[in-house]
Amino acid sequence: MALMLSGIGVSRGVAIGPCQIFRRDEIEILEYAIPRSLLMDEVARFEAAILKAKQQLRQIRQQIPADTSAEITAFIDAHLLMVEDEVLSRAPINLIKRLQCNAEWALKSQRDALVTVFDVMDDPYLKTRCDDIDHVVNRIQRILLSHSDHMHEALLQQSRGSIIVSDQLSPADILQMYQRGVIAFITEDGATNSHTAILARSLGIPTVVGVHHACDYLMQSESLVVDGRYGIAIASPDNSELDFYQDCIEHDLARTNALKKLDGLPAVTLDGCGIRLMVNLELAEEIANVTQFDADGVGLLRTEMLFMNRSAPPDEEEQYQFYARLIRAFKGRPVTIRTLDIGADKQLSIDLLDGHSCANPALGLRAIRLCLKEPRLFLPQLRAILRASALGPIRMMVPMLSNMHEVQQLKQLVRMSKAVLREKGQSFDEAMPLGAMIEVPAAAISAAYFAQQFDFLSIGTNDLIQYTLATDRMDAEAGYLYDPLHPAVLRLISLTIEAGVRYGTPVSMCGEMAGDPRFTALLLGMGLREFSMHAVMLSEVKSVINRSDVALLSTQVEALLKLYESEAINTAVEALNVH
Ligand code: PEP
Ligand code: MG
């Protein structure tokens, strides 16, 4: 009889194949004392394990085919950097000496200390780093404990065409298994934003994570269906289920081939309306890969990446060099640099608030609020962005603005920064466009003011939804309230786009909604003409655009915006998507 298990679909697509169980069981770490005379031997044992971990990762990296995208190799590079980082390669040595303990225990203690810091932060980016730390630490622990990887190797040999079911997988596991012809993954652990999930997505392999007790419920070699769209796995499917999913696979294949044909073509609607498609960037490692996509530029560079995992913020020169690299990589296409958005769910290891903690950080000193309070942090960034504007079309975008006072302060600081650069004889673009993110309901309701004050607006739906519906975007329990199609959210988006049209100010959208093809027709009908998203979503969104008629959509959407019932709105959005 068929058994259905559910989890979180993190990489779309359907696969059918035999189940291959791959347990990475917990490694038990014991503490024992090392006599003082043997401490240096213990240190040497640890250093040898670090060396071997590096060799293993380098070997995995070398086996990656040359035509693999840079984004994928970046995951292995990130783990290599982590093995080399002092916090994993040096700090445990100090612990071995100080606590006179075994290497495994020192490494475990260091791992626990790091993970505790990340856990408190409740940050999706850092949580991802937390998974990475575990993957790297487990690799070193297995070497220290001489856990052989033979079973692993033997299993990999037989995995072609199979579906791996595991308690947890590292990006390196995913990559090795992909190369051996694995067709889908199911894991007990995992979250949508883990690097493992992101890697599976960029490889295009159907993957479902968070399937509790999958290794216990599923049996070796039994037939499995994985549906990465809806996050389900079916064991021993019957014939009608098999027929249904076989059709899905064929349909997906035809669709992928059709999407490929759009590469290099402009995004233009049936009635001739040109749409700008831009990319969001949040990792430095993404740059090389993302420039290969035919995007019209960068619509959102999350500069937080430059400030994370370090003890002091980057200075003006370091930031300038990074922005300069980016503008060169995008060869004349516009790059939108968002000023620092730190606070709430995005914390730094640097304490910017002098230990001051806030009961509700999402409503506290975040983003522009923090930057205005800390000009020593903000001014070097403003100067670095301005200097980079001399090299190409840079736009500066500011997050979380909510009132006129902040706008005036911001403009004053930009003027000051320009004056400093002029005095130093450093060049910059005097007309560099300055934009505001509309992500606080107050800003959306005052969109007319913002549209008159700024050169462009960009709607940050991730925050706009959380603040409009008073639901924490990171909270799984309150997640059911997070609804992009809530009538209040749609009205605020529409209000912002209308204000842009009235005052001739271009309006873009860079929240997740912009890269979700289910909402493309709706947003076109609302008047949106610039979308910014993860690069992998570009062709799918383009394919909707190229089949749309904005004149028709705007009439349909006008009626949709009068609706209040969630079900009616969902049905109306679905109707827009039927071409
Ligand atoms: C947003 O809020 O929609 C956005 C793009 O910003 P972030 O997700 O970085 O907060
Ligand atoms: Mg935001």
Side-chain angles (χ1 to χ4, degrees):
M1 204 185 70
L3 166 74
M4 193 197 282
L5 301 178
S6 65
I8 311 165
V10 294
S11 177
R12 290 192 289 173
V14 171
I16 304 172
C19 166
Q20 182 83 258
I21 308 267
F22 176 79
R23 274 185 204 273
R24 268 256 185 253
D25 289 324
E26 287 262 302
I27 306 171
E28 196 187 354
I29 305 295
L30 300 176
E31 179 185 15
Y32 53 91
I34 303 288
R36 192 175 283 278
S37 61
L38 295 179
L39 278 180
M40 290 323 288
D41 291 349
E42 193 61 8
V43 167
R45 193 167 75 85
F46 178 75
E47 286 174 337
I50 292 282
L51 199 65
K52 177 125 191 243
K54 275 193 242 177
Q55 283 165 351
Q56 286 182 349
L57 286 166
R58 284 204 191 106
Q59 202 178 355
I60 293 171
R61 201 188 185 293
Q62 273 164 12
Q63 286 166 357
I64 301 174
D67 58 353
T68 307
S69 87
E71 187 186 17
I72 290 167
T73 45
F75 287 100
I76 302 301
D77 287 340
H79 281 200
L80 255 169
L81 282 176
M82 239 177 230
V83 178
E84 283 161 2
D85 196 299
E86 291 210 339
V87 291
L88 286 184
S89 66
R90 297 286 331 153
I93 295 181
N94 296 337
L95 287 175
I96 295 173
K97 292 182 188 160
R98 191 157 54 81
L99 306 177
Q100 298 187 20
C101 67
N102 54 319
E104 293 87 346
W105 189 257
L107 180 59
K108 179 187 182 304
S109 309
Q110 177 65 4
R111 176 258 170 218
D112 291 350
L114 290 170
V115 168
T116 312
V117 174
F118 289 151
D119 264 358
V120 173
M121 290 176 176
D122 196 23
D123 175 327
Y125 300 106
L126 296 182
K127 281 226 184 300
T128 297
R129 288 285 145 98
C130 222
D131 286 348
D132 289 327
I133 289 174
D134 273 342
H135 293 144
V136 171
V137 166
N138 285 345
R139 179 175 292 281
I140 306 169
Q141 293 287 24
R142 281 198 298 273
I143 296 169
L144 283 168
L145 294 166
S146 307
H147 274 203
S148 98
D149 264 356
H150 289 331
M151 197 224 26
H152 184 171
E153 234 344 284
L155 189 138
L156 284 180
Q157 299 300 342
Q158 320 150 13
S159 52
R160 178 160 299 280
S162 66
I163 294 171
I164 294 284
V165 177
S166 179
D167 43 356
Q168 52 157 299
L169 293 171
S170 70
D173 292 330
I174 293 261
L175 202 51
Q176 277 185 304
M177 291 170 178
Y178 170 70
Q179 286 165 355
R180 302 292 209 290
V182 165
I183 57 167
F185 297 104
I186 297 173
T187 64
E188 297 181 346
D189 252 18
T192 315
N193 288 323
S194 68
H195 275 164
T196 304
I198 296 172
L199 181 55
R201 261 200 298 280
S202 54
L203 291 169
I205 306 183
T207 301
V208 180
V209 302
V211 183
H212 303 304
H213 306 292
C215 294
D216 301 325
Y217 289 132
L218 300 173
M219 283 183 308
Q220 185 70 12
S221 305
E222 79 176 319
S223 169
L224 276 185
V225 168
V226 174
D227 185 342
R229 296 164 307 172
Y230 298 109
I232 53 176
I234 303 173
S236 302
D238 61 27
N239 283 342
S240 66
E241 284 163 335
L242 279 175
D243 286 348
F244 173 78
Y245 283 108
Q246 199 56 51
D247 280 354
C248 292
I249 292 174
E250 276 154 33
H251 180 262
D252 284 353
L253 196 64
R255 185 159 175 68
T256 309
N257 290 335
L259 284 176
K260 277 205 190 101
K261 295 198 187 114
L262 294 176
D263 284 355
L265 293 180
V268 184
T269 64
L270 292 174
D271 47 345
C273 180
I275 306 295
R276 280 229 291 192
L277 293 185
M278 318 277 277
V279 286
N280 291 356
L281 268 180
E282 59 194 56
L283 291 173
E285 297 89 355
E286 284 177 304
I287 297 174
N289 181 47
V290 161
T291 47
Q292 294 161 19
F293 285 86
D294 63 341
D296 297 316
V298 178
L300 165 65
L301 170 74
R302 290 182 163 103
T303 56
E304 299 78 74
M305 64 163 120
L306 291 173
F307 291 73
M308 288 185 165
N309 299 323
R310 51 193 296 162
S311 50
D315 63 12
E316 176 187 326
E317 189 56 29
E318 183 182 339
Q319 292 188 61
Y320 167 72
Q321 292 299 344
F322 178 76
Y323 304 144
R325 177 153 80 89
L326 191 65
I327 194 82
R328 279 194 288 267
F330 274 85
K331 299 191 178 105
R333 289 176 279 174
V335 172
T336 313
I337 302 179
R338 179 175 75 180
T339 58
L340 193 56
D341 181 2
I342 283 296
D345 58 330
K346 301 175 190 124
Q347 294 290 342
L348 299 186
S349 359
I350 315 160
D351 180 15
L352 295 169
L353 297 175
D354 292 332
H356 168 78
S357 67
C358 175
N360 201 337
L363 304 180
L365 281 188
R366 181 189 159 184
I368 187 63
R369 303 169 181 189
L370 183 65
C371 288
L372 291 177
K373 183 171 178 286
E374 291 290 339
R376 276 174 310 163
L377 183 74
F378 197 33
L379 289 173
Q381 181 171 48
L382 293 185
R383 289 194 298 269
I385 298 173
L386 277 164
R387 282 172 58 200
S389 73
L391 308 174
I394 282 203
R395 312 195 296 177
M396 177 151 67
M397 179 164 88
V398 183
M400 282 287 288
L401 287 162
S402 64
N403 63 49
M404 196 178 91
H405 188 55
E406 286 168 349
V407 174
Q408 288 168 344
Q409 277 182 286
L410 166 72
K411 290 194 169 184
Q412 174 64 14
L413 291 178
V414 174
R415 273 195 297 272
M416 260 173 61
S417 306
K418 287 184 175 177
V420 170
L421 294 181
R422 262 185 233 112
E423 212 165 281
K424 288 188 184 166
Q426 281 174 316
S427 43
F428 62 90
D429 174 9
E430 289 279 358
M432 179 191 71
L434 180 63
M437 279 192 78
I438 302 295
E439 48 183 354
V440 178
I445 294 165
S446 327
Y449 168 75
F450 283 87
Q452 292 174 78
Q453 291 293 323
F454 287 90
D455 300 310
F456 67 97
L457 304 179
S458 185
I459 307 174
T461 49
N462 306 342
D463 278 313
L464 187 61
I465 297 169
Q466 93 160 337
Y467 291 123
T468 304
L469 305 179
T471 177
D472 185 342
R473 65 194 256 193
M474 299 309 304
D475 189 304
E477 296 297 317
Y480 73 99
L481 291 166
Y482 193 91
D483 177 12
L485 295 182
H486 189 292
V489 172
L490 297 185
R491 275 170 183 68
L492 293 179
I493 295 174
S494 172
L495 212 61
T496 308
I497 297 172
E498 275 170 24
V501 171
R502 190 164 346 119
Y503 294 101
T505 308
V507 176
S508 169
M509 179 180 284
C510 60
E512 291 297 303
M513 248 181 120
D516 190 329
R518 287 173 304 165
F519 305 134
T520 309
L522 169 70
L523 295 169
L524 286 172
M526 286 169 118
L528 192 73
R529 299 293 177 260
E530 184 177 313
F531 296 62
S532 190
M533 64 199 76
H534 300 293
V536 286
M537 296 314 299
L538 285 169
S539 28
E540 213 156 324
V541 169
K542 195 198 283 182
S543 92
V544 179
I545 292 170
N546 292 5
R547 280 179 283 132
S548 297
D549 179 325
V550 283
L552 177 65
L553 283 173
S554 56
T555 326
Q556 291 170 300
V557 169
E558 210 180 304
L560 185 153
L561 288 176
K562 298 198 172 91
L563 302 171
Y564 278 95
E565 278 174 27
S566 158
E567 226 167 273
I569 294 176
N570 275 291
T571 311
V573 169
E574 266 169 41
L576 300 178
N577 291 333
V578 179
H579 295 276

